[in-house]
Amino acid sequence: MVKAGEISIVATPIGHLDDMTIRAVGVLKSVDQIAAEDTRHSQRLLAHFGIEKPLVALHDHNEQEKALMLIEKVKVGMNLALISDAGTPLISDPGYHLVRLAHQHGIRIVPIPGPCSIIAALSASGLPTDRFIFEGFLPAKAVARQKRLMELEPESRTLIFFETPHRILESLAGIIAVFGALREATLARELTKTFETIRTDTLLSLLNGIKTHTVQQKGEFVLIVAGNTTASKQILTLEAERILKTLLTELSVSDAARFTAKITGIRKALLYEYALKQSLT
Ligand code: SAM
């Protein structure tokens, strides 16, 4: 099944063991060694499929040095497979240095495709799938997160983020502050697992939903946000609202709307209408 001196990049389940592919099992049974992120975790998966192979740990902290050692062995004929704790290796998981080094040494890399939380979430989201970008985890610190979100705000492609239970509320609130409360988004939680929940709604409804049902804040998340299209540009973002309100304290309604339109790219007419309402209240 595998040829001598190759490295197979093998995707494994993201929750449901039945998602392991027949090819993945076959390849893992026929290689000489398996590199895994967390060997104890992977041992359980491999035991479930009756795979008994020597494991070597390859994680973020030792990858550069271990990759070199593994490449030397592959060059003299060893077959290696790489797996991660869940899903497709290298997707926010170790393996980049190994694959890069393999290319430099003329070693063939064989992808064994399978589960990936990004694609699973996107396929079920109901948001545009023709063009999308993957952003990984947003920065943990508020200032850095806001900076990145401001860079992403004009992006017209569907945006995909990873999120953790302890940051999901903060991140959703941060995205709302920059993108506006009404942008459509999907929160895909615990994909393929017993308590899988996939909800598509406005960012605000998703935030309110998980605030109310606190159990929905637990588990693993993929957050998908619709891109900035003409339709979503018509919606006033919280940031635009803030700029407009500040300018209204110094300028006429018309000028405040004009400058806010220049800064945010939102239609002047929409801002003017909103500003008029503000100045009357
Ligand atoms: N390589 C993995 C893949 O292909 O999906 C991703 C690994 S990354 C370190 C872990 C993140 O992926 C989690 O924090 C979560 O955002 C997302 N994730 C992984 N499994 C998931 C699942 N079953 N449901 C929702 N999100 C998941």
Side-chain angles (χ1 to χ4, degrees):
M1 197 163 200
V2 288
K3 295 196 194 114
E6 287 180 350
I7 302 178
S8 301
I9 308 298
V10 183
T12 58
I14 56 169
H16 200 307
L17 286 177
D18 288 358
D19 291 336
M20 185 82 166
T21 68
I22 297 168
R23 188 173 176 216
V25 174
V27 167
L28 293 174
K29 278 188 172 166
S30 59
V31 293
D32 301 307
Q33 196 167 36
I34 299 171
E37 200 182 349
D38 175 342
T39 52
R40 285 222 320 239
H41 172 95
S42 292
Q43 196 67 68
R44 289 193 289 273
L45 174 86
L46 298 175
H48 180 85
F49 291 101
I51 300 162
E52 281 178 39
K53 291 287 169 180
L55 287 175
V56 55
L58 187 89
H59 44 71
D60 287 341
H61 306 294
N62 74 357
E63 186 176 343
Q64 304 229 17
E65 125 213 9
K66 273 282 165 62
L68 204 57
M69 182 272 280
L70 289 168
I71 291 291
E72 291 308 326
K73 287 187 176 180
V74 174
K75 273 167 71 176
V76 293
M78 180 180 84
N79 278 315
L80 181 72
L82 172 70
I83 58 175
S84 63
D85 285 355
T88 302
L90 281 85
I91 306 301
S92 287
D93 273 338
Y96 167 74
H97 294 291
L98 180 73
V99 171
R100 183 111 190 126
L101 209 57
H103 278 276
Q104 284 163 8
H105 287 262
I107 292 167
R108 184 164 173 240
I109 296 287
V110 186
I112 311 294
C116 178
S117 58
I118 301 169
I119 300 301
L122 184 65
S123 69
S125 68
L127 297 178
T129 54
D130 51 345
R131 288 189 175 84
F132 59 89
I133 60 161
F134 170 56
E135 268 292 307
F137 293 95
L138 277 166
K141 299 233 166 80
V143 175
R145 184 170 58 231
Q146 194 195 18
K147 183 172 176 285
R148 185 71 196 126
L149 285 168
M150 282 168 94
E151 286 160 2
L152 291 172
E153 197 278 330
E155 175 59 60
S156 61
R157 291 168 291 185
T158 299
L159 301 119
I160 307 179
F161 302 95
F162 278 162
E163 253 328 319
T164 58
H166 60 281
R167 281 216 297 267
I168 188 69
L169 285 177
E170 242 185 279
S171 290
L172 270 173
I175 297 173
I176 287 173
V178 180
F179 288 21
L182 303 180
R183 189 91 75 98
E184 220 184 356
T186 298
L187 198 53
R189 172 179 165 267
E190 294 289 85
L191 289 166
T192 77
K193 302 183 196 175
T194 314
F195 297 107
E196 176 182 273
T197 323
I198 303 167
R199 248 194 98 197
T200 297
D201 209 326
T202 62
L203 283 164
L204 186 63
S205 297
L206 292 177
L207 177 61
N208 287 339
I210 62 166
K211 268 187 183 164
T212 317
H213 305 284
T214 48
V215 68
Q216 293 287 327
Q217 293 168 25
K218 298 199 173 90
E220 296 191 282
F221 299 93
V222 177
L223 174 64
I224 309 188
V225 184
N228 189 344
T229 58
T230 320
S232 61
K233 266 225 163 85
Q234 307 312 315
I235 292 161
L236 218 57
T237 62
L238 294 187
E239 180 64 4
E241 201 179 329
R242 191 185 62 75
I243 295 169
L244 185 62
K245 280 184 175 165
T246 311
L247 293 180
L248 274 173
T249 60
E250 303 286 338
L251 302 173
S252 68
V253 168
S254 171
D255 283 347
R258 187 159 57 87
F259 283 119
T260 311
K262 268 194 179 161
I263 297 167
T264 63
I266 294 172
R267 271 193 315 126
K268 187 192 161 194
L270 185 83
L271 293 159
Y272 184 78
E273 197 185 298
Y274 186 84
L276 259 187
K277 276 188 208 145
Q278 293 297 305
S279 62
L280 293 177
T281 52

